[in-house]
Amino acid sequence: MFVQIRLFAMLRQCAGSDSLEIELPDGATVADALGELGTTPALGEMLGRLPVQLAVNRVYASAETRLETGDELALIPPISGGSGEVWARITTEPLSLEALAATVGRPGAGAIVTFQGVTREVSRLDYEAYREMAEERMLEILRSCVSTHDLEAAAAEHRIGEVALGEPGVIVAVSAAHRSEAFTGAREAIDRIKAEAPIWKREVTGNGQGRWVDGQLPEVELDGGGAGEPGEPG
């Protein structure tokens, strides 16, 4: 079967075209299409380091989505909002620290600091998120870190769903002119994401028993009120 591939921005420039047609076996998935594209000289290297969102027939899709002949698969690179200094995503897909670090590279960056939080001691973690709000909050946190610590760029991704022992559930990358700002900015970014983004985790042991990890209500500024403890007037 034949599938139409739509490319945008740096992907379009790299391929020299805004669309390609590839042939895949019947029953192929989006992951199969990405694998085929990864073998092409024009796109292989960039797809290996650039995080992309996927859409099939203008609907966001996962790597497991099955394709049919005539489908349109769009590869959507990070969207350039504002200054393009920040990037955040909640995803069910495995995380790539190398790909995330590539998104914060800048000509003025003398240091790039990365962090990944991995599942430990239990068989897996099950993450759940208020996805839209979590992404917005992560972007706000990263913008604040960029401004406060004079960063060149900052990016973060968080998985939802099952994350097995040893796999990363959250990753952060920041760049700055000097290492001190980069280290401090990365530390603040991950600390605030863990404290403020509406994301929850459930620990699951080898026998299948699980428990939700204790947390606390976030201390944030409320619209029209100012900062205050949860349940107290602003």
Side-chain angles (χ1 to χ4, degrees):
M1 66 177 180
F2 289 90
V3 173
Q4 191 77 11
I5 308 298
R6 293 290 308 278
L7 304 170
F8 303 92
M10 62 286 291
L11 293 174
R12 172 190 53 74
Q13 182 178 10
C14 185
S17 173
D18 63 2
S19 65
L20 302 170
E21 188 175 68
I22 62 173
E23 184 175 7
L24 297 168
D26 291 343
T29 64
V30 168
D32 296 323
L34 291 175
E36 179 66 22
L37 290 169
T39 65
T40 62
L43 288 173
E45 188 273 335
M46 179 164 283
L47 286 175
R49 62 181 175 83
L50 183 72
V52 295
Q53 184 59 275
L54 310 164
V56 175
N57 300 328
R58 303 176 184 84
V59 177
Y60 284 122
S62 72
E64 290 75 31
T65 300
R66 290 196 174 275
L67 298 169
E68 298 181 3
T69 188
D71 278 350
E72 178 185 271
L73 171 62
L75 276 57
I76 304 171
I79 296 171
S80 301
S83 63
E85 295 172 333
V86 298
W87 158 265
R89 181 174 68 148
I90 303 292
T91 180
T92 59
E93 302 299 321
L95 304 178
S96 169
L97 194 62
E98 182 179 3
L100 193 72
T103 69
V104 300
R106 297 292 188 275
I112 294 178
V113 170
T114 61
F115 167 86
Q116 61 178 350
V118 301
T119 302
R120 63 183 176 91
E121 296 181 346
V122 295
S123 178
R124 73 171 195 265
L125 292 174
D126 293 345
Y127 283 100
E128 181 178 324
Y130 183 177
R131 187 169 188 163
E132 298 83 357
M133 184 176 178
E135 286 187 342
E136 291 177 4
R137 189 62 186 168
M138 287 166 66
L139 286 170
E140 291 173 2
I141 291 167
L142 295 175
R143 291 190 188 102
S144 174
C145 290
V146 167
S147 175
T148 301
H149 302 290
D150 197 24
L151 304 179
E152 294 284 328
E157 294 186 346
H158 207 302
R159 279 187 73 178
I160 53 176
E162 298 181 2
V163 181
L165 178 67
E167 293 184 1
V170 58
I171 55 178
V172 170
V174 309
S175 62
H178 306 288
R179 63 181 182 274
S180 59
E181 290 90 343
F183 276 114
T184 305
R187 177 62 182 266
E188 179 176 332
I190 185 59
D191 285 351
R192 289 187 59 188
I193 287 171
K194 289 177 65 67
E196 300 176 25
I199 301 170
W200 305 268
K201 63 182 177 182
R202 182 172 175 265
E203 295 180 340
V204 181
T205 59
N207 61 11
Q209 298 296 314
R211 73 171 188 90
W212 290 101
V213 176
D214 294 336
Q216 61 183 18
L217 291 176
E219 298 180 14
V220 297
E221 291 190 2
L222 305 177
D223 287 344
E229 294 292 331
E232 294 182 354

